[in-house]
Amino acid sequence: MKLLLYFLIITLVGRNEGNNHFPHFRKLKSRATASVQTAAAQDVVRRLIPDRAEEFNIQVDPQLAEGDKDVFTLVTDKVTGKINITGNAGVVATWGFYHFLKFHCGCHVSWGGQQLNIPKPLPVIEAPGHRMVSNDQFRYYENVCTVSYSFVWYNWTDWERQIDWMALNGINLPLAFNGQEAIMQRVFTNMNFTQKDLDDFFTGPAFLAWFRMGNIQKWGGPLPQSWINDQLVLQHRILRRMRSLGMIPVLAGFGGHVPANIKKLYPNVNVSTLTNWSQFKPPYSGTTIINFDDPLFAEVGRRFIEETIKELGTNHVYATDLFNEMRPKSSNITYLKMSGAAIYKGMVSADPDAVWVMQGWLFQDSSFWKLPQAKALLTSVPMGRMIVLDLFAEIRPLWQKYDSFFGQPFVWCMLHNYGGTMDLYGDIESVNVGPSTARSYPNSSMIGIGISPEGINQNYVMYEFMLDQGIGPGPKNIAEWISGYAKRRYGVENRYIDIGWQLLRGTVYSCNKTIHDAHGNVVFTGRPHLNMKEAVSFVTNHF
Ligand SMILES: *[C@@H]1O[C@H](CO)[C@@H](O)[C@H](O)[C@H]1NC(C)=O
Ligand SMILES: *[C@@H]1O[C@H](CO)[C@@H](O)[C@H](O)[C@H]1NC(C)=O
Ligand SMILES: *[C@@H]1O[C@H](CO)[C@@H](O)[C@H](O)[C@H]1NC(C)=O
Ligand SMILES: *[C@@H]1O[C@H](CO)[C@@H](O)[C@H](O)[C@H]1NC(C)=O
Ligand SMILES: *[C@@H]1O[C@H](CO)[C@@H](O)[C@H](O)[C@H]1NC(C)=O
Ligand SMILES: *[C@@H]1O[C@H](CO)[C@@H](O)[C@H](O)[C@H]1NC(C)=O
Ligand SMILES: *[C@@H]1O[C@H](CO)[C@@H](O)[C@H](O)[C@H]1NC(C)=O
Ligand SMILES: *[C@@H]1O[C@H](CO)[C@@H](O)[C@H](O)[C@H]1NC(C)=O
């Protein structure tokens, strides 16, 4: 009864709250039919629990959606004895399935392992059953750096498991960045760049995250042709799977970075040199970017998106990060507006429905990005044609400072991890209140939650807790949630495990002061010393 009431309340609240004002987003839908999505969701279940899959009746019914919000229902069918799980998309049905596994069967599925001791027979959910409505339209996943810290050597087996995990957690807006070098190679080859030009441009596989943002080039290269080709094949499989589950994969956009000798081919083009990034120097950094007011900028952008669509199809969402950890050469408002407009123009001239996804990370450089500068970039494209990722919202949220990003839709993301470091930490209190506070801000333009870790396979508890903010009321009773988590994780109820986890909750997972991992300030990776101050960093001369 209590449960039923609880779900009724969520449903009622869900109807009124957070109606977003971005009708264009209705175009961001998977074109996979309900039956394709049903089959894809059933396959996730079969891969996870082959022996018990027949006890679940997984269905997709697009009519279930409530406006922009996702809906799943759970009910036991007395005739068949199966659990009926229906969602308005494949990914929503699998989300419902994992919800049932977690909260009714006490199971746990994480990046690193799983606890799938499912009760037999399955728990019964009496008619009329449970109906859950998502809090937002989107659940976003990945940081543009995750590829380099965690995914670079992933093959299809790894990706399949990763996408299954996304589906189980309701993630419907995943980054899908593989294979973009194949597209870029085609675009530049068609523009008559030589393979030598590209060998001096592409980095090696492990550094592509920073290459794609124009931070570095050539480092660790040349990029083997076999890599370029294989990643494209992989990308086709990844996209087919994501789309069949009803997800909206976010493809790569063009950020203006070109091989350094562009003037050889286009003597009249106006280009600039970006700043040296981190401790890299030319020829590895100080990359070349076409000037925003040069028509070639949007022209290459158009070619890039056209080639992307021709090869991969599209769901109209493209991610590009300008000025990542590199200051623009001017803080002039007109200049910054022009930069965003050039990116957008390239996108929409190839795809009139394009939406630009941008990590809000650049704005953390607050001495450059004052309110007028941020506003200039954020309003350089029409409202609702950009999605800003408030990337590090659990520690340094920007949505308030920038007045809900001046009306552009944004996703409240927990970044949490830098560089894939393995120390135990997290700000669970902030994650508990942050999303619901941002959602209820007057005229909030929040459209989703997300996780944007630089590296994965650490602190699973934080990601599970964050993704639970996508559904049900917040804030939650953290102590209770942690007890449930510990029970699910180990598959047993044990007083001492619970005490241990409550200690972790109040200590390492209550890190609310600053960035609690600073690239290696971890005792066991530090140089032995009585006064541990110095971090062992990635930079070799620190060793
Ligand atoms: C379960 O789903 C089946 C169709 O797949 C339907 O016939 C049946 O009525 C459903 N049961 C309940 C209790 O909704
Ligand atoms: C992927 O790599 C793993 C080892 O890391 C291997 O077991 C698996 O068979 C590979 N999958 C494919 C499709 O090659
Ligand atoms: C590229 O090469 C083709 C064929 O040689 C030529 O027609 C075209 O003008 C060249 N384009 C550029 C930008 O050099
Ligand atoms: C980048 O580093 C090189 C070599 O130290 C230097 O000559 C150049 O001026 C730097 N570029 C910028 C934009 O600071
Ligand atoms: C390049 O810049 C110069 C000087 O600002 C300008 O005269 C010229 O028209 C620009 N060229 C292009 C192709 O935009
Ligand atoms: C910004 O740039 C525009 C166009 O180049 C120029 O007209 C304007 O005076 C500049 N504004 C400032 C404050 O420098
Ligand atoms: C919210 O939007 C409405 C309609 O655009 C406007 O009248 C109102 O002032 C806004 N409220 C706030 C707090 O910005
Ligand atoms: C940080 O957490 C501690 C312990 O939960 C709490 O007492 C303190 O008020 C928190 N500080 C901030 C700034 O939230």
Side-chain angles (χ1 to χ4, degrees):
M1 185 60 209
K2 202 175 136 203
L3 265 182
L4 201 68
L5 203 68
Y6 169 88
F7 288 109
L8 207 68
I9 290 169
I10 298 165
T11 309
L12 293 178
V13 172
R15 272 182 213 284
N16 301 325
E17 200 189 70
N19 273 326
N20 81 45
H21 309 292
F22 306 107
H24 181 75
F25 287 173
R26 293 196 193 113
K27 301 198 176 189
L28 313 184
K29 288 251 183 292
S30 170
R31 279 183 294 273
T33 62
S35 65
V36 165
Q37 294 193 40
T38 299
Q42 288 169 343
D43 286 345
V44 173
V45 176
R46 251 178 244 126
R47 278 189 293 275
L48 192 68
I49 48 163
D51 301 339
R52 305 288 302 270
E54 288 312 310
E55 296 171 48
F56 294 85
N57 175 19
I58 309 282
Q59 297 294 333
V60 170
D61 173 8
Q63 302 303 320
L64 264 188
E66 231 175 61
D68 302 325
K69 307 294 168 63
D70 291 316
V71 177
F72 61 76
T73 58
L74 310 171
V75 66
T76 299
D77 185 78
K78 290 287 189 197
V79 180
T80 60
K82 296 186 184 194
I83 301 285
N84 278 12
I85 300 179
T86 310
N88 59 286
V91 54
V92 184
T94 48
W95 197 19
F97 165 69
Y98 188 42
H99 186 90
F100 179 78
L101 283 188
K102 280 206 292 197
F103 298 114
H104 297 269
C105 303
C107 293
H108 177 68
V109 181
S110 77
W111 289 314
Q114 55 205 34
Q115 188 286 105
L116 288 168
N117 192 9
I118 303 173
K120 202 167 195 144
L122 287 179
V124 169
I125 299 183
E126 299 288 351
H130 299 335
R131 183 169 191 285
M132 300 283 288
V133 183
S134 68
N135 289 329
D136 315 287
Q137 185 170 6
F138 296 114
R139 275 79 49 200
Y140 172 82
Y141 179 34
E142 285 180 45
N143 186 299
V144 295
C145 294
T146 323
V147 58
S148 287
Y149 287 116
S150 294
F151 299 145
V152 57
W153 311 119
Y154 270 26
N155 62 17
W156 172 245
T157 311
D158 305 312
W159 271 109
E160 178 166 67
R161 189 179 150 80
Q162 192 64 218
I163 298 168
D164 282 354
W165 178 87
M166 293 180 204
L168 293 172
N169 286 287
I171 288 162
N172 58 359
L173 191 65
L175 206 56
F177 258 24
N178 298 62
Q180 58 177 284
E181 283 67 36
I183 309 288
M184 193 166 274
Q185 184 180 39
R186 253 178 240 171
V187 169
F188 286 138
T189 305
N190 288 340
M191 291 170 67
N192 299 349
F193 284 97
T194 63
Q195 189 54 43
K196 170 77 173 72
D197 297 335
L198 297 181
D199 286 346
D200 290 340
F201 185 50
F202 292 137
T203 61
F207 307 97
L208 287 171
W210 301 281
F211 163 75
R212 291 165 180 172
M213 294 185 283
N215 299 139
I216 53 174
Q217 60 192 4
K218 194 177 175 157
W219 185 261
L223 193 60
Q225 192 62 44
S226 58
W227 170 274
I228 295 176
N229 298 347
D230 290 353
Q231 288 296 304
L232 187 61
V233 172
L234 190 55
Q235 172 76 340
H236 274 285
R237 293 186 84 164
I238 290 170
L239 289 180
R240 207 176 307 131
R241 179 60 56 79
M242 286 176 170
R243 287 171 176 153
S244 71
L245 282 161
M247 297 175 178
I248 310 296
V250 179
L251 302 172
F254 175 71
H257 313 112
V258 291
N261 61 356
I262 185 166
K263 278 196 172 275
K264 186 185 72 183
L265 291 168
Y266 298 86
N268 297 324
V269 70
N270 286 326
V271 298
S272 302
T273 302
L274 290 166
T275 56
N276 294 322
W277 177 76
S278 191
Q279 296 179 44
F280 287 89
K281 297 277 184 263
Y284 303 112
S285 199
T287 61
T288 304
I289 185 170
I290 305 175
N291 282 1
F292 303 115
D293 56 353
D294 192 299
L296 194 64
F297 189 104
E299 163 69 13
V300 182
R302 179 182 63 77
R303 285 171 179 240
F304 185 76
I305 299 296
E306 274 176 4
E307 200 64 45
T308 299
I309 296 173
K310 201 162 96 189
E311 178 69 31
L312 303 170
T314 190
N315 301 81
H316 311 301
V317 190
Y318 309 94
T320 295
D321 289 295
L322 265 183
F323 308 133
N324 174 67
E325 299 177 359
M326 297 179 299
R327 286 188 173 183
K329 66 179 183 189
S330 162
S331 59
N332 182 311
I333 303 305
T334 313
Y335 175 77
L336 294 171
K337 265 198 178 300
M338 193 165 68
S339 70
I343 297 263
Y344 181 68
K345 186 174 174 200
M347 285 180 185
V348 287
S349 54
D351 178 354
D353 292 329
V355 172
W356 170 15
V357 169
M358 184 178 77
Q359 296 197 153
W361 181 249
L362 74 170
F363 300 131
Q364 297 288 347
D365 180 5
S366 56
S367 57
F368 179 91
W369 292 99
K370 307 223 187 298
L371 293 189
Q373 279 72 30
K375 187 171 185 176
L377 182 56
L378 289 163
T379 58
S380 63
V381 314
M383 282 296 132
R385 289 306 196 94
M386 179 189 267
I387 295 176
V388 187
L389 304 173
D390 198 356
L391 209 69
F392 189 29
E394 84 279 20
I395 303 284
R396 289 194 203 143
L398 296 172
W399 59 268
Q400 224 158 355
K401 173 178 172 186
Y402 292 138
D403 197 14
S404 210
F405 294 99
F406 307 103
Q408 286 293 18
F410 77 95
V411 177
W412 197 104
C413 294
M414 178 186 85
L415 194 154
H416 176 261
N417 181 268
Y418 289 91
T421 55
M422 289 292 156
D423 38 337
L424 300 180
Y425 62 92
D427 188 348
I428 203 163
E429 304 274 351
S430 156
V431 169
N432 196 28
V433 296
S436 49
T437 307
R439 219 176 260 134
S440 55
Y441 184 71
N443 293 357
S444 175
S445 56
M446 174 171 160
I447 51 152
I449 59 155
I451 52 173
S452 49
E454 287 194 346
I456 66 165
N457 295 325
Q458 37 72 33
N459 295 289
Y460 306 113
V461 63
M462 290 304 300
Y463 298 89
E464 187 103 4
F465 186 70
M466 178 63 215
L467 288 165
D468 266 3
Q469 308 304 318
I471 202 151
K476 302 178 195 304
N477 178 327
I478 300 178
E480 258 173 38
W481 189 93
I482 287 280
S483 292
Y485 175 81
K487 234 161 45 184
R488 297 194 295 274
R489 182 175 161 99
Y490 304 106
V492 292
E493 187 150 15
N494 178 296
R495 196 165 94 78
Y496 299 102
I497 290 177
D498 188 51
I499 291 171
W501 268 97
Q502 298 299 342
L503 284 172
L504 293 175
R505 169 182 65 79
T507 54
V508 289
Y509 292 118
S510 289
C511 289
N512 56 2
K513 292 193 183 68
T514 177
I515 311 177
H516 269 262
D517 79 327
H519 287 325
N521 282 325
V522 187
V523 173
F524 50 80
T525 60
R527 220 181 258 281
H529 201 281
L530 291 175
N531 183 12
M532 294 273 301
K533 269 191 197 152
E534 198 184 336
V536 175
S537 189
F538 300 126
V539 184
T540 46
N541 63 13
H542 286 197
F543 283 103

